[in-house]
Amino acid sequence: MSGNVLEGKLVRDRIPEIIRDNGEEPVTYIADREEYRQRLEAKLLEEVDEFLEADDEARKGEAADVLEVLLALVAEIGVDPDQLEQIRCAKAHERGGFADRVVWTGNR
């Protein structure tokens, strides 16, 4: 996100409805595409930070939040979840995954 600080924060679509159900009136607006992408990028960093700070049990929900934001971000660049999975699988086939816990420390 650029140096400007935007007021408010991107929230899930049903949050205004939930606020109304609690007897309050939310103040919202719909971001344009440029602002939406900026806010998604900021939200991804926020969710990753929350994931990293959470204990193992809470990380399950935080991981779902990270994935939700990531899927929204890739949709903005024209990639649907199935395409993303195909790209992930191809990279895993070509270069492997991370299951073997390999740490590279350089070359001799």
Side-chain angles (χ1 to χ4, degrees), residues 11-26:
V11 294
R12 288 176 175 264
D13 299 339
R14 291 197 57 231
I15 295 301
E17 174 187 338
I18 292 167
I19 291 170
R20 281 187 207 92
D21 289 348
N22 288 327
E24 298 180 78
E25 187 56 36

Side-chain angles (χ1 to χ4, degrees), residues 83-98:
Q83 289 173 305
L84 184 61
E85 180 61 10
Q86 289 172 358
I87 294 166
R88 187 201 66 75
C89 286
K91 289 188 86 165
H93 179 73
E94 178 183 321
R95 301 179 66 107
F98 295 96

Side-chain angles (χ1 to χ4, degrees), residues 20-39:
R20 281 187 207 92
D21 289 348
N22 288 327
E24 298 180 78
E25 187 56 36
V27 177
T28 64
Y29 69 92
I30 304 302
D32 64 29
R33 291 195 91 81
E34 181 181 338
E35 180 184 351
Y36 178 57
R37 187 178 283 198
Q38 289 177 340
R39 288 189 180 272

Side-chain angles (χ1 to χ4, degrees), residues 32-105:
D32 64 29
R33 291 195 91 81
E34 181 181 338
E35 180 184 351
Y36 178 57
R37 187 178 283 198
Q38 289 177 340
R39 288 189 180 272
L40 278 171
E41 290 169 357
K43 191 69 165 181
L44 181 60
L45 293 173
E46 174 190 328
E47 297 298 350
V48 168
D49 284 345
E50 289 175 7
F51 173 84
L52 294 174
E53 293 173 7
D55 62 29
D56 284 349
E57 185 61 32
R59 278 187 169 188
K60 296 172 188 174
E62 297 301 338
D65 291 343
V66 169
L67 183 57
E68 189 72 31
V69 175
L70 184 58
L71 290 173
L73 259 172
V74 297
E76 278 298 297
I77 60 170
V79 178
D80 69 35
D82 291 336
Q83 289 173 305
L84 184 61
E85 180 61 10
Q86 289 172 358
I87 294 166
R88 187 201 66 75
C89 286
K91 289 188 86 165
H93 179 73
E94 178 183 321
R95 301 179 66 107
F98 295 96
D100 291 344
R101 302 183 300 216
V102 176
V103 177
W104 178 54
T105 60

